[in-house]
Amino acid sequence: MHLHAIDKSAGTAGGGRGDGYLVRPAQAWFAFAMTFGLMLFDYIDRQVIVSLFPYLKADWGLSDKQLGGLVSIVSIVVAAGAIPVALLADRFSRVRSIVVMATVWSLATISCMFSSTYAQLFAARAVVGAGETGYGSVGAALIASLFPARLRSALLGAFFAAASLGSVLGVLLGGLIAARWGWKSAFGVVGVPGLVLALAYLLVRDYRTVPLTARLERATQSAGGVARHIAGALARSRTLLWACLGGAMQLIVVSAVWSWLPSFLNRLHGLAPDQAGKQAALVVLAGALGSFAWGAVIDRLAQRRLRNKLLGVAALCLVSLGLLAYAFGAAPAAQQLGWIIAGGFVMTCSVGPIASVVIDVVHPSVRSTGAAVLSLFQNLLGLALGPFVAGVLSDQFGLGTALAVVPAFGALAALLFVHAARSYEAEVAALADVRLAADGGTTPPTPAAPAAA
């Protein structure tokens, strides 16, 4: 992963030369809409099973451990396959890879409705994970390459906000469909739209695969070579390493709050489970909105100076720490949900900007793979650890205290982002000699713009 070259089309922080669309704007926005839509159904299909737990427990007598396994297996498979799938997409076709991935996860979701045993349902859920493997990384790389760099953080924030919206819709739709037509029908209803979108995705424009350097060609010949090259890239690039670690630390906060908030509202406020779920959904939706809004703010800050992208996110992580610590630790009961929603709006601030930073410092020939490295950190060190750490703290000190303490990981994230900012501009500027072109077309002419001071 060559870390000292970017595409000239990415431009500069100030919207400098070449900071334009890779394809016609209408084509780029169509690609964004389709990629956003598939991300939405990615997480609807992933999370729909959560609302079906009571039905599965009643019909099949499953333990909570078994129910949890039906969720965990998807994340485990996604984390295990993210890098090899993204590498293949980078070398062949991002669009066709996405079509295959979405088709697989949609068909696997539909197949869940025909499961008659736990083992069959578990296997089908594993295939859902196999289909979703690499989608976020490849989709992010495609969006980042088709649009001007000045829009990158906002658009990636909006793209990943689709995961939050999909999670909420998956839980709500699953419950509604199961109550009317049975729990098995829920899988079929949510799986079909994703399959339709997968086929329509063939209309999306891709960008041409950039030839590998001799070094990258050698490194990607085997799984061991890829692993060694990624480890070397992380060792050489302070920006990549610190940004990935910082992004994972902030996701510990996000995943802990999202996982345990319904239980917090049920235990400490006495809300019925369905009411607790609805109020928790407000926090998830606030996070989805915040992911897009803060991405746009950070993009504006980066136009003044590129390193402001990371420094701004670091400051927002500290703000989320203060809001959430007060919300769970000191806020009056009547005001608590409002403060939690405010903290939820800020705590997703890093999602879009950090994906943008990683893509900025990774060679365009392996952008999907670079995004997959971030995904690996986020899944294993962030999304997997958050609920577990909060659970351990809850067993020792109570759930309220746990949720007041976990946001402290935001301070660690801020520190790591400050470290990443020190090398970010140099890594972006070095050897900026790679130009992208749209697949099957040429880069549209873009008027030059003065570089920022």
Side-chain angles (χ1 to χ4, degrees), residues 7 16 21 27 44 56 70 73 137 197 208-210 236 281 305 419:
D7 54 55
Y21 289 88
Q27 293 175 321
I44 289 175
L56 287 164
L70 294 173
I73 187 60
S137 306
L197 276 182
R208 291 176 185 168
T209 297
V210 179
R236 289 191 302 274
R305 186 171 181 183
H419 276 293

Side-chain angles (χ1 to χ4, degrees), residues 46-289:
R46 184 185 293 203
Q47 293 298 110
V48 67
I49 199 167
V50 173
S51 60
L52 308 181
F53 280 176
Y55 300 94
L56 287 164
K57 194 175 186 69
D59 288 359
W60 290 354
L62 301 180
S63 67
D64 287 347
K65 179 180 178 181
Q66 288 174 308
L67 293 173
L70 294 173
V71 178
S72 298
I73 187 60
V74 177
S75 297
I76 291 170
V77 174
V78 168
I83 291 176
V85 168
L87 183 62
L88 287 172
D90 269 329
R91 300 324 315 144
F92 297 102
S93 167
R94 285 144 295 276
V95 167
R96 292 175 184 173
S97 298
I98 286 174
V99 171
V100 171
M101 286 186 276
T103 300
V104 169
W105 90 58
S106 297
L107 289 175
T109 299
I110 294 171
S111 75
C112 290
M113 68 185 296
F114 302 108
S115 300
S116 57
T117 66
Y118 176 79
Q120 292 174 356
L121 183 57
F122 187 87
R125 291 286 292 174
V127 179
V128 171
E132 294 178 352
T133 294
Y135 175 70
S137 306
V138 178
L142 185 64
I143 290 170
S145 299
L146 296 182
F147 284 88
R150 65 182 182 273
L151 302 176
R152 189 169 288 165
S153 293
L155 289 173
L156 290 177
F159 172 57
F160 289 115
S164 304
L165 295 174
S167 297
V168 173
L169 289 174
V171 174
L172 293 177
L173 289 173
L176 292 173
I177 297 167
R180 176 163 297 198
W181 295 301
W183 65 264
K184 290 189 176 182
S185 299
F187 294 114
V189 172
V190 302
V192 171
L195 186 60
V196 174
L197 276 182
L199 299 177
Y201 204 87
L202 288 168
L203 300 175
V204 171
R205 288 286 297 278
D206 202 350
Y207 62 89
R208 291 176 185 168
T209 297
V210 179
L212 292 173
T213 63
R215 181 178 182 180
L216 284 170
E217 187 68 52
R218 291 193 299 271
T220 55
Q221 294 300 309
S222 65
V226 171
R228 287 190 297 272
H229 193 68
I230 290 172
L234 290 168
R236 289 191 302 274
S237 173
R238 292 173 56 189
T239 304
L240 185 64
L241 177 60
W242 299 135
C244 287
L245 283 172
M249 294 302 100
Q250 186 62 16
L251 280 184
I252 288 178
V253 181
V254 175
S255 61
V257 172
W258 284 1
S259 297
W260 288 103
L261 185 57
S263 297
F264 173 84
L265 294 171
N266 173 253
R267 297 179 194 176
L268 278 76
H269 288 266
L271 295 181
D274 59 337
Q275 294 301 314
K278 289 179 181 179
Q279 292 200 8
L282 294 176
V283 179
V284 178
L285 290 174
L289 180 60

Side-chain angles (χ1 to χ4, degrees), residues 323-344:
L323 289 172
L324 291 170
Y326 176 75
F328 288 108
Q335 302 175 12
Q336 194 166 40
L337 181 61
W339 283 103
I340 295 172
I341 291 173

Side-chain angles (χ1 to χ4, degrees), residues 267-313:
R267 297 179 194 176
L268 278 76
H269 288 266
L271 295 181
D274 59 337
Q275 294 301 314
K278 289 179 181 179
Q279 292 200 8
L282 294 176
V283 179
V284 178
L285 290 174
L289 180 60
S291 179
F292 170 73
W294 293 120
V297 170
I298 294 300
D299 274 338
R300 293 295 297 272
L301 290 175
Q303 289 181 17
R304 299 177 182 176
R305 186 171 181 183
L306 195 58
R307 71 197 305 260
N308 288 346
K309 186 181 292 188
L310 283 158
L311 297 179
V313 173

